[in-house]
Amino acid sequence: MSVPTFVTNERVLCYHGPLIYEAKVLKAETWDETNKKGPNAGIHYRVHYKGWKESWDEWVPPHRVLKFNETNIALQKKLSSEAQKAAQPAVAKVPPPKEGVSSTVSGRGEGREGRSRKEGRGQKRGRDEDEILRKPDLKLVVPDVLKVILVDDWEAVTKNRQVVTLPREPTVQELLREFKDYIDTLENKPAYDFTAFAVPTIIAGLQLYFDRSLGANLLYRFERVQYAEIRKRYITGPKVKVGEEKEMSAIYGAEHLLRMLVSLPNMIGGSNMDPESVNVLCDYVHELMGFMVKERERLFQREYDTTSIQYQNLSRT
């Protein structure tokens, strides 16, 4: 079966993750060993996704690009519909109230039997469904480059028994400050007219989320010995002066920040953020991931530190 070819400015459909989006071909190149920009040689297309910022433009191999026709549009709609259904399983499967727990909306009606008790259960179930539907829904598209970094990170720690060098350089705090400066230089800023207010607020929020979630959610078990050592050195140890303690965001770096970013949807789902704030956060997190892709050679550690036998023995206890 021959692979279709595409021309500059052609309207196409393009896979991005499990879904298909409308896009335009910006140019085509044939990669070989002398000019290869990615792991695979052969023809590649530079595409721009309709409605997306230019920072999401990317080179893609032919198997990700589809002709813009009725058959492929139908496939696009089918995949989108299936993804939406898969993302909302809890709405159709709200568990009933546990036995022994009052199912009435208020204290009135206690002791009533039959119909009134059933209505109470129904009202509570409806309220539970409403709560689920009202939960903030942050949908992130993680660039493929960062997915590879996450896998390499997991393998280095869990398989190779290695850890990142701490303190990192740059730290999470320094990285976020660099991101703020980067946003200030963009000609096409995220589509909000309160950037001067939004950016500092979002950066402060991301730093707070990081500091609060690192120890609880962002570490592999093998890293906990290192974490304990870091806390003793910078927070709890006898040599640490009161008022000079350091937050974890002043010690850890891009590797652990990336882990937090991909965990954000679950974190935000348990918050009370309003939909508009979630949309603003989503835009800036996508910009932050784009910035991390551009600066990945500088931000992420290439070779992790090999741990001692003593460290590895401690990690097992």
Side-chain angles (χ1 to χ4, degrees):
M1 182 177 176
S2 62
V3 178
T5 57
F6 305 90
V7 297
T8 301
N9 293 324
E10 182 176 351
R11 185 184 187 188
V12 296
L13 295 170
C14 187
Y15 277 97
H16 194 291
L19 299 179
I20 298 174
Y21 301 89
E22 184 177 340
K24 180 175 74 172
V25 175
L26 300 178
K27 56 182 174 180
E29 283 187 5
T30 300
W31 296 356
D32 55 29
E33 293 303 323
T34 62
N35 68 348
K36 195 163 62 172
K37 299 182 177 69
N40 300 313
I43 190 166
H44 283 71
Y45 298 98
R46 182 78 174 174
V47 298
H48 170 74
Y49 296 98
K50 182 179 179 181
W52 294 32
K53 298 180 182 65
E54 290 182 1
S55 58
W56 288 96
D57 294 358
E58 62 175 341
W59 288 100
V60 298
H63 68 264
R64 282 181 52 186
V65 190
L66 303 173
K67 288 292 184 180
F68 193 90
N69 56 37
E70 292 183 2
T71 300
N72 292 329
I73 291 173
L75 175 61
Q76 176 192 31
K77 291 179 179 178
K78 179 185 176 183
L79 293 177
S80 177
S81 176
E82 290 175 351
Q84 289 175 6
K85 291 177 182 177
Q88 298 177 343
V91 176
K93 298 179 180 179
V94 179
K98 294 181 179 178
E99 185 178 351
V101 178
S102 172
S103 59
T104 56
V105 176
S106 66
R108 290 178 298 175
E110 289 182 3
R112 294 182 184 178
E113 298 179 357
R115 182 169 174 270
S116 63
R117 291 180 66 85
K118 293 178 181 176
E119 287 175 351
R121 283 195 295 270
Q123 290 169 352
K124 185 176 188 304
R125 184 176 296 112
R127 192 166 68 251
D128 288 343
E129 291 177 359
D130 289 344
E131 289 297 325
I132 291 171
L133 290 171
R134 281 200 296 270
K135 281 187 176 182
D137 186 15
L138 180 66
K139 296 181 179 178
L140 297 179
V141 180
V142 181
D144 290 342
V145 171
L146 297 185
K147 291 178 183 177
V148 171
I149 291 174
L150 284 167
V151 173
D152 289 345
D153 173 53
W154 170 82
E155 188 173 272
V157 176
T158 64
K159 301 295 184 183
N160 301 340
R161 319 296 281 173
Q162 296 174 309
V163 293
V164 297
T165 304
L166 294 177
R168 286 289 292 115
E169 202 175 298
T171 65
V172 169
Q173 290 183 9
E174 292 167 341
L175 191 159
L176 291 175
R177 283 197 292 269
E178 290 180 11
F179 173 63
K180 179 183 180 300
D181 295 339
Y182 166 77
I183 286 291
D184 291 340
T185 65
L186 290 180
E187 293 184 4
N188 298 319
K189 293 182 174 64
Y192 298 96
D193 57 4
F194 46 90
T195 302
F197 167 77
V199 175
T201 303
I202 288 171
I203 287 177
L206 290 174
Q207 183 177 317
L208 181 63
Y209 266 112
F210 183 87
D211 288 327
R212 297 295 176 267
S213 64
L214 177 71
N217 301 312
L218 304 182
L219 298 174
Y220 295 112
R221 179 180 177 180
F222 188 72
E223 295 174 302
R224 293 211 161 271
V225 173
Q226 184 190 42
Y227 176 66
E229 293 171 351
I230 288 296
R231 282 185 54 83
K232 184 177 180 180
R233 191 188 311 171
Y234 293 102
I235 300 178
T236 62
K239 295 183 179 180
V240 180
K241 296 180 181 179
V242 176
E244 295 183 1
E245 301 90 345
K246 284 190 176 183
E247 294 283 6
M248 293 296 102
S249 55
I251 300 166
Y252 285 78
E255 298 80 12
H256 291 79
L257 177 62
L258 179 56
R259 294 184 201 174
M260 189 203 75
L261 293 180
V262 299
S263 301
L264 265 183
N266 288 334
M267 296 180 186
I268 299 301
S271 74
N272 59 356
M273 289 183 67
D274 60 88
E276 183 179 4
S277 297
V278 172
N279 289 337
V280 175
L281 176 63
C282 185
D283 265 11
Y284 281 103
V285 170
H286 278 137
E287 289 288 356
L288 175 55
M289 289 192 292
F291 171 73
M292 294 173 78
V293 168
K294 292 178 180 178
E295 299 292 330
R296 61 187 181 276
E297 298 296 330
R298 179 176 61 86
L299 297 179
F300 293 97
Q301 188 168 351
R302 283 180 172 272
E303 297 291 335
Y304 287 19
D305 293 342
T306 300
T307 54
S308 65
I309 297 299
Q310 182 184 10
Y311 182 102
Q312 294 178 27
N313 290 336
L314 284 172
S315 72
R316 297 188 185 99
T317 59

